[in-house]
Amino acid sequence: MPTINQAFKEITCKIVYYGPGFGGKTTNLQLIHGNVPAKHRGDLVSLATEQDQTLFFDFLPLDFGDVKGYKTKFQLYTVPGQVYYNATRKLVLRGVDGIVFVADSQATRLKDSVDSFYNMIENLREYDLEIGQVPVVIQYNKRDLPSALPLEDLRKHLNPEGRFEEFEAVATEGVGVRETLRAVCSQILKRLNEQANIVSDDEIIGERLGLLGETQEGSDSASGASTTTARTKAPIRKGPMLDIIQTSRWVWGGIGVGSGSITISTRPTPDGANEYTLSSRHRIFMVSRQFTRPMKYIGEDRRLVDGTQRTYHVLRDADTGAKTAPITAYVEQAKLPRVYLIYPGFMGDVHVGPEGEQPVF
Ligand SMILES: Nc1nc2c(ncn2[C@@H]2O[C@H](COP(=O)(O)OP(=O)(O)O)[C@@H](O)[C@H]2O)c(=O)[nH]1
Ligand SMILES: [Mg+2]
């Protein structure tokens, strides 16, 4: 379970790259480090000696910025693959939230890959974790080598039931590296939502993971390694008709700072989607303000509120290039509809909800 710091609104997820020595784990991290924009990543720290590149481990922190007001961080680790470094491997696995298993596709390395996989299962058990309890993504690396086994042979040994999401990769060329990371991050965030109701919507997750680069279908297979679970482009989502006026309260830093009214109206478009307009007239700190924004439908977000499962429609600024702070709206379509807004303010997020209620978001 990722570490959630409610006071600092921070979620930290630990991802471990596991696998046999010289399989390509460090190469994965190097490629990620080289491709994620600098503002989203820290330094790649490799604890290694000159004699042995894989003596200790590598560490790479990634910062995905805000997801629903929570700063989301991923910490990537590799383990030393050599059989005799099991104590270090076990230690690195402590508190793991997701695993990328990097298998070496070469026939001569099959036994090492399989041994490493079972070693991983054993080490997880030391922490009372069964394999199904942690997201695991398998990466079949070194697909470029002539000695690489056919995918089917590797699968038979490492993923016979197809339980794990899997990718082919040529880590040295960056092929399959992002896709693998994306998949494990996405699985972690989905699980996080099921357990803690913090992040859920696929598109919101996708947007965050966008900085890892898009899956380029076709181009991967052209170089001989296609993702076996390629994602397709998200379809245009059609939201419901929403027509709401709500007397609302503005909260900032946990304190009520103003009130006013917000409205949401809907306009159908020829392509079958709906367009939304969000407008607000309110007073914050005794100063009158107002705004009008075009919004687009993102999807549904389910979360637990006071012990009951509720569904919210999520709207986001349609004009993403706007210089104004992006607003996210959550609309609960109940008998008495409720609208919640969240947007970054001067110092911390501004939360808006129905008058007389603590904002849920
Ligand atoms: N041909 C080929 N070599 C690779 C690939 N990925 C990694 N390597 C090489 O395999 C060696 C071991 O990689 P490394 O990332 O250090 O493995 P680690 O021990 O799992 O961290 C290095 O020489 C890499 O350049 C790949 O996809 N294809
Ligand atoms: Mg290494």
Side-chain angles (χ1 to χ4, degrees):
M1 176 81 181
T3 311
I4 304 170
N5 183 325
Q6 292 291 359
F8 290 101
K9 293 262 173 192
E10 216 171 77
I11 300 170
T12 306
C13 311
K14 178 171 180 177
I15 299 174
V16 175
Y17 280 68
Y18 209 98
F22 303 102
K25 300 179 293 296
T26 301
T27 309
N28 265 268
L29 262 59
Q30 286 166 343
L31 258 289
I32 294 160
H33 181 260
N35 282 296
V36 171
K39 66 172 182 164
H40 288 294
R41 59 152 167 84
D43 290 334
L44 172 60
V45 180
S46 287
L47 296 176
T49 64
E50 277 179 18
Q51 294 81 12
D52 191 341
Q53 293 186 348
T54 50
L55 185 54
F56 294 115
F57 59 89
D58 313 292
F59 172 71
L60 173 64
L62 298 178
D63 186 344
F64 279 16
D66 264 25
V67 177
K68 292 192 182 171
Y70 283 80
K71 290 185 187 61
T72 315
K73 297 183 174 179
F74 288 92
Q75 299 180 331
L76 277 46
Y77 290 80
T78 69
V79 296
Q82 284 74 355
V83 177
Y84 36 91
Y85 294 125
N86 200 44
T88 313
R89 272 197 297 279
K90 215 180 288 178
L91 212 62
V92 174
L93 271 186
R94 185 190 209 117
V96 66
D97 298 308
I99 296 174
V100 171
F101 185 83
V102 181
D104 193 320
S105 294
Q106 297 176 91
T108 50
R109 302 302 313 282
L110 178 64
K111 185 175 181 302
D112 288 345
S113 293
V114 173
D115 285 353
S116 175
F117 197 83
Y118 285 100
N119 170 256
M120 174 181 85
I121 292 175
E122 256 170 46
N123 281 336
L124 284 172
R125 286 212 177 113
E126 299 265 332
Y127 294 111
D128 287 329
L129 285 171
E130 288 300 320
I131 189 94
Q133 290 173 273
V134 183
V136 174
V137 173
I138 298 183
Q139 181 185 81
Y140 304 109
N141 191 32
K142 305 199 183 178
R143 299 307 296 158
D144 58 320
L145 295 178
S147 54
L149 286 169
L151 196 59
E152 282 315 310
D153 292 0
L154 293 164
R155 259 194 203 133
K156 219 165 32 194
H157 288 93
L158 294 168
N159 197 12
E161 293 156 34
R163 281 171 75 182
F164 310 110
E165 212 172 331
E166 52 183 23
F167 295 88
E168 292 182 77
V170 184
T172 36
E173 289 167 28
V175 174
V177 169
R178 292 172 184 163
E179 289 78 359
T180 309
L181 176 60
R182 241 187 113 105
V184 74
C185 290
S186 173
Q187 284 193 35
I188 291 172
L189 292 178
K190 281 201 183 118
R191 205 166 280 226
L192 182 62
N193 179 57
E194 285 160 18
Q195 293 168 349
N197 284 284
I198 288 180
V199 196
S200 70
D201 181 77
D202 266 351
E203 190 157 328
I204 293 173
I205 293 173
E207 194 179 282
R208 288 299 154 203
L209 298 182
L211 61 97
L212 298 178
E214 289 307 315
T215 302
Q216 288 166 355
E217 287 173 68
S219 67
D220 280 358
S221 33
S223 61
S226 64
T227 56
T228 49
T229 46
R231 279 165 168 263
T232 49
K233 269 216 153 81
I236 296 174
R237 303 196 194 194
K238 187 175 177 345
M241 293 296 290
L242 301 171
D243 272 295
I244 301 165
I245 302 178
Q246 176 180 282
T247 308
S248 307
R249 196 164 88 99
W250 267 249
V251 176
W252 178 61
I255 302 161
V257 293
S259 59
S261 93
I262 50 183
T263 65
I264 293 181
S265 58
T266 312
R267 193 171 64 89
T269 58
D271 65 3
N274 284 329
E275 283 177 0
Y276 301 88
T277 305
L278 167 71
S279 52
S280 173
R281 286 172 169 279
H282 56 279
R283 286 169 76 83
I284 303 182
F285 294 124
M286 318 295 278
V287 179
S288 293
R289 289 167 187 270
Q290 63 179 70
F291 60 74
T292 300
R293 299 279 186 91
M295 305 286 277
K296 68 172 180 179
Y297 189 68
I298 297 285
E300 283 186 2
D301 178 17
R302 283 165 292 279
R303 61 174 68 194
L304 220 61
V305 179
D306 300 331
T308 52
Q309 182 80 30
R310 303 200 185 170
T311 301
Y312 300 90
H313 296 289
V314 185
L315 306 179
R316 181 74 65 78
D317 276 68
D319 181 8
T320 46
K323 290 200 176 62
T324 46
I327 299 179
T328 308
Y330 298 89
V331 182
E332 187 186 20
Q333 252 187 326
K335 204 177 280 173
L336 181 68
R338 288 184 174 80
V339 181
Y340 303 87
L341 308 180
I342 180 166
Y343 56 94
F346 167 55
M347 276 178 63
D349 289 335
V350 177
H351 302 263
V352 184
E355 185 73 77
E357 262 187 38
Q358 277 301 321
V360 177
F361 293 88

